[in-house]
Amino acid sequence: MGLVFVALIALVLLIAFVYNNNLAYMLGFLLASVFFVTILHSFKALSGLVIRAWHNPPVFAGEKAAFNFMLQNPGNQQRVAVDIRLQQVRTISLKPFETQVVSLPVESKMRGWLACETLTLSSCYPLGLFRAWSPLRFDSRVLVYPCPAKTDLAFPETAGGEGRQGQSKRGGDEFQGIKTYQSGDPIRQIHWKAFAKGRGLHSKQYAGTISEEFWLDYEVTPGADIEGRLSQLCRWVIDAERAGFRYGLALPGIKLEPDSGNAHSQACLRELALFGLPN
């Protein structure tokens, strides 16, 4: 658009020169003044803006990751039609002294750290004749967990890890009743008699079941390759946390003692995400 506008100004001034027409001269100089004023406004649309990398929540491989940035307009001038480009483009406007947090989605295909690519801030304000832009690099990244396995396998029957055989335990053996089977219920607690009678899949409940403690061990986890095992361990961590079990994680060279809670599950998922990857 800018080049077309320059060509128009040149054409008007050429006509004014050939025909010695004062009105054409005036129009040509008017367009030229608009040309230079527009350059100034495009530059001021970005000048002084403050942008910082913000917290990025972890995601599972295959999900949309989000890089968050905080934009601050420190002046009393409104910023209109500011484009922020990563893999997609977001267009925002900032009022005087306003602060916004902008989330930019990107694809996450593999576990590990997903680094932020070059961010481009640009504006064609006010007439779209010129584009002012600024490429920015941030030390921002998103932790990508392994994709949870689709297969619904029961938790391991025995404890894993060196010298931990038989440490899996229940708080008590008193039978309390049955419940509808849920993902992650141990296979040994399935009520097979009810299933044989066509009553559906149910699990036996024992007193103290909630305090069951076991290890999720990489060495005994089924899977065709490393990613398959990590995917199954990821699924078990999610299911065990939802069920309220205490669980430990054993990877080659890494052991997290049995525990439960959001902090423990996040620590386990982090180890799975970074297992075997260079620092």
Side-chain angles (χ1 to χ4, degrees):
M1 285 292 293
L3 293 177
V4 174
F5 197 74
V6 171
L8 176 63
I9 294 173
L11 178 62
V12 171
L13 291 178
L14 178 62
I15 293 174
F17 177 75
V18 171
Y19 294 99
N20 195 23
N21 188 307
N22 291 334
L23 287 178
Y25 272 120
M26 186 176 68
L27 177 60
F29 290 132
L30 177 63
L31 293 176
S33 63
V34 170
F35 178 84
F36 291 109
V37 170
T38 302
I39 293 177
L40 180 62
H41 278 280
S42 296
F43 170 76
K44 291 184 66 176
L46 301 182
S47 179
L49 271 182
V50 178
I51 180 168
R52 296 188 179 93
W54 209 242
H55 172 67
N56 304 316
V59 297
F60 294 96
E63 294 182 346
K64 288 277 189 181
F67 286 99
N68 297 314
F69 298 93
M70 187 194 72
L71 277 83
Q72 181 181 13
N73 180 10
N76 58 2
Q77 172 197 349
Q78 186 171 6
R79 312 300 177 112
V80 180
V82 176
D83 292 336
I84 309 169
R85 178 188 295 275
L86 202 54
Q87 287 185 357
Q88 300 178 9
V89 180
R90 282 281 310 274
T91 301
I92 66 168
S93 295
L94 290 168
K95 298 177 181 177
F97 308 108
E98 184 184 6
T99 299
Q100 287 188 24
V101 175
V102 179
S103 182
L104 301 174
V106 298
E107 298 287 344
S108 67
K109 298 179 181 178
M110 301 174 61
R111 66 180 175 90
W113 288 113
L114 177 63
C116 181
E117 299 175 354
T118 301
L119 181 77
T120 302
L121 208 62
S122 64
S123 176
C124 295
Y125 179 80
L127 301 178
L129 297 177
F130 304 98
R131 176 175 176 263
W133 80 95
S134 178
L136 303 171
R137 290 187 177 275
F138 291 91
D139 185 18
S140 181
R141 55 187 185 174
V142 175
L143 183 59
V144 181
Y145 299 145
C147 179
K150 306 296 182 185
T151 307
D152 186 12
L153 296 180
F155 292 125
E157 293 286 339
T158 58
E162 182 180 356
R164 299 184 182 282
Q165 185 76 20
Q167 286 190 8
S168 179
K169 62 184 181 182
R170 285 201 303 263
D173 292 328
E174 182 181 353
F175 178 73
Q176 288 194 329
I178 62 173
K179 65 173 184 176
T180 302
Y181 175 80
Q182 295 181 351
S183 173
D185 286 350
I187 195 170
R188 63 179 179 276
Q189 292 185 9
I190 294 178
H191 197 292
W192 294 109
K193 291 183 178 179
F195 180 73
K197 293 178 181 178
R199 297 176 182 174
L201 202 54
H202 294 79
S203 297
K204 300 175 185 176
Q205 281 188 298
Y206 296 89
T209 298
I210 195 67
S211 64
E212 188 161 346
E213 179 178 300
F214 52 85
W215 282 83
L216 303 177
D217 191 346
Y218 173 87
E219 298 295 344
V220 297
T221 300
D225 51 22
I226 294 177
E227 298 304 322
R229 290 186 178 188
L230 295 178
S231 181
Q232 183 57 55
L233 287 170
C234 179
R235 171 67 182 269
W236 277 339
V237 168
I238 296 172
D239 290 344
E241 187 60 35
R242 287 176 179 170
F245 294 148
R246 288 173 55 84
Y247 55 95
L249 178 66
L251 299 171
I254 301 172
K255 283 188 178 177
L256 300 181
E257 294 295 325
D259 201 347
S260 62
N262 184 61
H264 182 61
S265 67
Q266 296 298 314
C268 292
L269 292 173
R270 179 187 175 90
E271 294 297 342
L272 294 175
L274 302 178
F275 176 70
L277 299 179
N279 294 326

